[in-house]
Amino acid sequence: MASPKVIVLRTCDGETFEVDESVVYVSETIKNMIEDGCGDGVIPLPNVSSKIFPKVIEYCKKHVSDFESLKKTSNGDEKEKDKDDDSSKKGKEAVPDVEEDAEEKARVEELKEWETTYMDIDQQVLFDLLQAANYLNIKGLLLMAAEKAASMIRGKTPEQIRETFNIKNDFTPEEYEEVRRENAWAFE
Amino acid sequence: MEQRTWPVQRDGAHFSALPLVNISGSKDDDDDDDPNRRQQRRRSRHHHHHQQQQPPPQVLRTRNSHCAKLPTIHSASSHRIRFSSRWFSSFSSTQSMAEGHDFSQLPFDVLTKIAASFTLPNLRSASLVCRSWRDALRPLRESMLFLRWGKRFKHGHAGVRPNLQKALDSFLKGAARGSTLAMVDAGLLYWEMGHKDKGIALYQRAAALGDPAAQCNLGISYLQAEPADPKEAVKWLYEASVAGHIRAQYQLALCLHQGRGVECNLLEAAKWYLRAAEGGYVRAMYNTSLCYSFGEGLARNHRQARKWMKRAADRGHSKAQLEHGLGLFSEGEMLKALVYLELAIRAGETSAEHVKNVVLQQLSASSRDRAMSLADNWRALPSR
């Protein structure tokens, strides 16, 4: 892999985007399509709008380095493990490199802050993000969005949840009662 | 939970005859762990969404023609006449749902991920939101049933004889249907039975889905494994701590205190001890008291130290009972001191005997009796 390759993608509403290959590789779906040979032409994304795509790419850009650093450290960790196996003392641990740790800690904290800002979105964007992350198979993003949705559901009554997400109650009274009774055992 | 069974409709658009929500029953198979099947289902579900959009006349911007999920009011009004038996109230002519952002149309596997770590009350509420959610969350409700059976078999509740193998089977069935609560219990049982790697594997699955208890257990597993991996442990304990898990907060504080898996940092350690203590974790209360007492990580504060030591003592921490008893003794509160010292001794802190004898000599017979009676009737305050 010599020069960084640029991939062209087209969203469902006809707009095209050019993105570095390493960035779009964060999406398992796109990665598979490229590996199947579609990387030279325009890759269609029928389930992703041009509105949400930039938001997705923002996530991918932030997490490209995750994949790269993972490749780097895995070799180092294996060496450490051998050291532990050789020692006869139970529970001997490799002494952490102090400077590396401080850097790592700062990186983790910075990432947490970035995530908080990134997920400060309204429910419409959240919906698009869930759909896009699911279709594009970006595990970390889907998990983040799912957790945000979960936090908006926990502790609420069904009516409150419907209000939060603008959902219609399509139950018949009988169906509603059936579901309610189904779980009544939990409170006996 | 206050619930109206007849929520007032904002408009009359949403009726069962409209082919809005019915995603084909893709959850009747148990092969949740087969990634190929899951992929197929996901693809077919997306395809299904497209099909739903075509029939009703679309008065939408062309931008959204592929991505919109709902028909407009026009098609809904033509169906209204059929539903005299249905309940609805007057509706405005504007759509109350944002175009293309209908959360009732979320794919089943996305909803399952969202609700994976829900406790039963939350799962219940979510299942009552709309039909699609009810259907999507059915496997998780089944998980809860298996979870309940698993707990019964493990602890022998409700007339069921304890049977660890059956408990494990139940937990695993619950885990297969997607509930992280079942995964954690299955992992714990595996760990207790000696299959530590299987336990860790389950914790990892649940931790990846964001379950704080799983993340905490995973972190602790890495600390206890041979060889231990304290760096990885701290990473997971941190995740769980940030999510509010008090035991994880305590364990994280310990790691920071001991410089295990992370650079030693008394300030951070004390911060997490205090968080866990405020959350109700008794051991953290004791350690918080010590931090205040010695000025380690927290500014020295006698009053706070006493407050937290008492709290820990009242919740049954034997060393705290000893310390608190000594503190009361030094303040001249002999009767109260005797109660706590006696509790400490009964809990195994034999070093309290000496001081107890000193106190006994300073009290009248009736006071001594009263103190013993208080100790006899003492019950620990609930803790988490």
Side-chain angles (χ1 to χ4, degrees), chain A residues 12-13 15 29 32 46-51 81 84-85 90-94 96-98 100-102 104-105 108-109 112 123-128 130-131 134-135 137 142-143 145-147 149-151 153-159 161-163 165-177 179-188, chain B residues 1-7 9-11 14 16 21 39 42 46 49-50 63 66-67 69 86-87 96-98 100-107 109-110 113-114 117-118 120-122 124-134 138 141 144-145 148 152 207-210 226-231 238-239 242 256 259-263 265 268:
Chain A
C12 68
D13 43 353
E15 276 195 44
T29 306
N32 291 339
N47 287 342
V48 185
S49 74
S50 64
K51 225 175 85 169
K81 279 220 184 88
D84 285 343
D85 286 342
K90 186 172 113 173
K92 177 173 183 220
E93 297 140 21
D97 179 353
V98 174
E100 208 180 78
D101 269 359
E104 173 72 15
K105 198 160 179 288
V108 167
E109 281 180 14
K112 279 259 170 271
Q123 51 123 316
Q124 298 187 1
V125 177
L126 177 62
F127 181 85
D128 288 338
L130 282 165
Q131 296 279 52
N134 189 37
Y135 171 71
N137 198 351
L142 182 57
L143 190 70
E147 184 47 44
S151 69
I153 295 173
R154 277 194 200 103
K156 294 197 166 112
T157 66
E159 181 55 27
I161 299 171
R162 281 188 219 113
E163 268 180 49
F165 294 107
N166 262 323
I167 297 177
K168 288 288 165 287
N169 181 351
D170 60 346
F171 282 119
T172 66
E174 295 85 27
E175 284 172 342
Y176 190 88
E177 200 44 44
V179 187
R180 223 176 56 80
R181 262 185 285 118
E182 185 189 306
N183 289 304
W185 57 261
F187 299 93
E188 75 201 15
Chain B
M1 235 172 7
E2 186 242 324
Q3 283 179 10
R4 294 170 284 162
T5 35
W6 261 245
Q9 292 263 257
R10 265 166 298 193
D11 67 37
H14 199 117
S16 58
V21 165
Q39 273 282 24
R42 191 177 299 131
H46 281 285
H49 277 305
H50 286 297
R63 235 178 102 103
H66 291 285
C67 303
K69 302 273 185 275
R86 301 269 186 256
W87 39 272
S96 60
M97 270 176 295
H101 296 117
D102 186 3
F103 271 83
S104 74
Q105 298 273 19
L106 276 177
D109 52 358
V110 172
K113 280 206 174 69
I114 290 173
S117 59
F118 276 10
L120 184 62
N122 288 320
R124 233 184 143 226
S125 299
S127 301
L128 288 167
V129 167
C130 65
R131 280 184 182 158
S132 174
W133 283 33
R134 171 199 64 187
R138 177 165 289 124
R141 294 199 295 280
M144 289 297 163
L145 278 172
R148 186 165 87 126
R152 278 184 175 170
L209 285 161
E226 286 163 25
D229 190 344
K231 263 182 130 165
Y238 183 72
E239 287 290 326
V242 162
L256 284 158
R260 207 181 164 200
V262 71
E263 204 184 321
N265 187 329
E268 282 288 299

Side-chain angles (χ1 to χ4, degrees), chain B residues 169-220:
Chain B
D169 286 342
S170 296
F171 287 141
L172 287 173
K173 288 201 175 103
R177 277 156 185 74
S179 168
T180 57
L181 280 68
M183 289 177 205
V184 170
D185 278 357
L188 183 60
L189 197 45
Y190 264 136
W191 186 271
E192 287 169 355
M193 286 162 100
H195 304 295
K196 298 197 171 175
D197 44 348
K198 288 190 178 154
I200 287 185
L202 275 155
Y203 289 153
Q204 278 169 339
R205 261 176 75 194
L209 285 161
D211 186 310
Q215 291 164 343
C216 177
N217 284 13
L218 187 55
I220 294 177

Side-chain angles (χ1 to χ4, degrees), chain A residues 42-92:
Chain A
V42 177
I43 295 185
L45 300 175
N47 287 342
V48 185
S49 74
S50 64
K51 225 175 85 169
I52 197 64
F53 194 62
K55 183 87 176 164
V56 173
I57 292 300
E58 194 190 332
Y59 176 90
C60 295
K61 281 194 178 137
K62 189 76 181 172
H63 289 81
V64 174
S65 45
D66 285 356
F67 286 75
E68 289 178 0
S69 67
L70 267 174
K71 278 186 259 163
K72 257 192 276 170
T73 57
S74 61
N75 295 327
D77 283 355
E78 276 167 34
K79 276 205 226 125
E80 297 278 27
K81 279 220 184 88
D82 290 339
K83 264 206 287 210
D84 285 343
D85 286 342
D86 285 343
S87 82
S88 49
K89 235 163 87 177
K90 186 172 113 173
K92 177 173 183 220

Side-chain angles (χ1 to χ4, degrees), chain B residues 329 334 357-364 368:
Chain B
F329 171 70
M334 291 304 154
N357 288 333
V358 174
V359 173
L360 278 172
Q361 286 164 21
Q362 306 199 15
L363 288 172
S364 65
R368 279 185 242 153

